[in-house]
Amino acid sequence: MENRLKTGISNVTKLVEFVLLGFSDIPNLHWTLFGIFLVIYLTILMCNSIIILVTRIDSALQTPMYFFLGNLSFLEICYVTVTIPRMLMDLLTQKGSISFFACAAQMCFVLMFGGSECLLLTVMAYDRYVAICNPLHYPLIMNHKVCVQLVTVSWISGVPVVIGQTCQIFSLPFCGSNTINHFFCDLPPVLKLACGDTFVNEIAVYVVAVIFVMVPFLLIVVSYGKIISSILKLSSAKGRAKAFSTCSSHLIVVVLFYGTATITYLQPKPNQSEGVGKLISLFYTVLIPTLNPIIYTLRNKDIMVALRKLLTKILI
């Protein structure tokens, strides 16, 4: 036992990097995947940057809803920048080595931005609740100071928790394989490589996931329950359609994002297939950020009008 412990400790000191397998199981498609993910990344950057721009410069969009949307777009840019450029580099070089520190930093930022998105989507649901259920008090309740405070809380409240959890994970002994069957340092696959009893760490993961995924999701469900109830009470069919149209884009994004996050972080560890986990992660780290700006622009008349005005100014 003593020799094994010494060997384990020795291996921990020698472990200076991990190897991300990424998409090495389909080597013939490396260049195809590189091209697809590069186009997706540039699309995400461009579309979200346009949303940020129009929500900042168009006077008609100086409302809490678009203030939150601009913040969500900036958050999406940060979120994908943590994972996709690294994935592109690995596809280009066909080397997946990542240093111990870089892996920890990547996990920390992914969890941090993911947690912030959960909270920001909750804030956006609350905004729609106040707008539809308490329209007369909306300007008073959702004043600029309150909006800034809500966004600030969304951005920073999870930071100490995420840093603590990341330090806890990476302080574990990694005395076995250093190969991560994933395209980024996500929590479940990294935790699988740890030696010894990881029960406490798994419980900590579930607790944090409940706090930052399930609690915000339940608050969103309650908000939309009250919103739908208020919409159904409206006598005008046109009024009901208009009220629901202001919420539909947000509701679609919530379902997509929370659905995949719940499967990833609240599924029991033994039941997680690495291949399925990688696919689900690809969905919420790449596909959903690509769909978000499309969902919000194509389904939002105000954004489309602002875009036309912006294009007119540029072309004239």
Side-chain angles (χ1 to χ4, degrees):
M1 172 67 79
E2 187 176 341
N3 289 334
R4 284 200 294 270
L5 286 172
K6 286 181 179 178
T7 304
I9 293 168
S10 175
N11 284 345
V12 171
T13 57
K14 288 179 182 177
L15 182 59
V16 293
E17 66 176 23
F18 291 101
V19 176
L20 293 166
L21 290 182
F23 303 97
S24 58
D25 52 337
I26 43 175
N28 296 332
L29 294 176
H30 271 193
W31 288 109
T32 304
L33 291 173
F34 178 82
I36 291 170
F37 290 135
L38 179 61
V39 170
I40 286 173
Y41 182 56
L42 293 176
T43 301
I44 292 169
L45 293 184
M46 183 183 68
C47 292
N48 282 295
S49 297
I50 290 170
I51 290 175
I52 294 168
L53 181 64
V54 297
T55 55
R56 292 288 294 176
I57 66 173
D58 196 294
S59 57
L61 302 182
Q62 303 302 306
T63 63
M65 182 172 76
Y66 295 110
F67 173 70
F68 296 136
L69 179 57
N71 272 272
L72 180 65
S73 294
F74 179 67
L75 182 58
E76 292 283 28
I77 291 173
C78 296
Y79 189 54
V80 297
T81 301
V82 177
T83 56
I84 297 182
R86 173 84 214 186
M87 183 169 58
L88 290 172
M89 186 181 73
D90 290 342
L91 285 167
L92 189 64
T93 62
Q94 297 190 22
K95 295 177 182 178
S97 58
I98 181 170
S99 70
F100 194 80
F101 177 77
C103 188
Q106 188 183 51
M107 179 188 288
C108 185
F109 281 114
V110 166
L111 294 176
M112 194 183 299
F113 293 137
S116 295
E117 183 157 350
C118 288
L119 297 176
L120 191 54
L121 288 172
T122 308
V123 167
M124 292 173 77
Y126 175 69
D127 171 67
R128 292 299 83 208
Y129 159 72
V130 177
I132 292 171
C133 299
N134 296 290
L136 297 178
H137 297 101
Y138 180 70
L140 182 64
I141 297 172
M142 300 302 292
N143 60 65
H144 183 67
K145 183 180 177 181
V146 170
C147 291
V148 171
Q149 288 173 341
L150 288 171
V151 166
T152 303
V153 169
S154 299
W155 275 95
I156 68 172
S157 60
V159 172
V161 177
V162 168
I163 291 174
Q165 187 165 66
T166 304
C167 291
Q168 185 186 43
I169 296 296
F170 281 87
S171 63
L172 290 168
F174 293 93
C175 51
S177 170
N178 69 334
T179 303
I180 302 172
N181 188 11
H182 216 289
F183 57 89
F184 73 97
C185 290
D186 202 5
L187 205 156
V190 171
L191 193 56
K192 281 185 178 182
L193 299 183
C195 301
D197 186 9
T198 59
F199 177 74
V200 174
N201 302 90
E202 289 171 40
I203 293 299
V205 170
Y206 291 137
V207 169
V208 172
V210 166
I211 294 171
F212 286 95
V213 178
M214 290 310 297
V215 171
F217 180 69
L218 290 173
L219 291 173
I220 291 172
V221 169
V222 170
S223 296
Y224 272 102
K226 294 185 176 181
I227 287 169
I228 292 168
S229 176
S230 295
I231 290 174
L232 293 176
K233 290 177 183 176
L234 295 174
S235 55
S236 166
K238 188 177 180 181
R240 287 197 297 270
K242 185 178 178 180
F244 187 73
S245 68
T246 64
C247 306
S248 57
S249 299
H250 179 254
L251 196 56
I252 292 168
V253 171
V254 166
V255 171
L256 290 172
F257 183 79
Y258 275 96
T260 51
T262 301
I263 292 169
T264 301
Y265 296 106
L266 289 174
Q267 187 181 160
K269 185 179 174 183
N271 295 333
Q272 283 188 338
S273 162
E274 290 182 339
V276 172
K278 196 189 297 186
L279 184 64
I280 293 169
S281 296
L282 196 63
F283 195 86
Y284 73 80
T285 57
V286 178
L287 184 60
I288 293 176
T290 309
L291 292 175
N292 281 0
I294 297 171
I295 292 168
Y296 276 112
T297 53
L298 294 181
R299 297 180 62 84
N300 192 302
K301 290 179 181 178
D302 293 337
I303 292 282
M304 294 303 291
V305 169
L307 281 173
R308 289 192 195 100
K309 285 163 62 178
L310 180 64
L311 285 171
T312 304
K313 285 181 182 179
I314 293 171
L315 295 173
I316 290 177

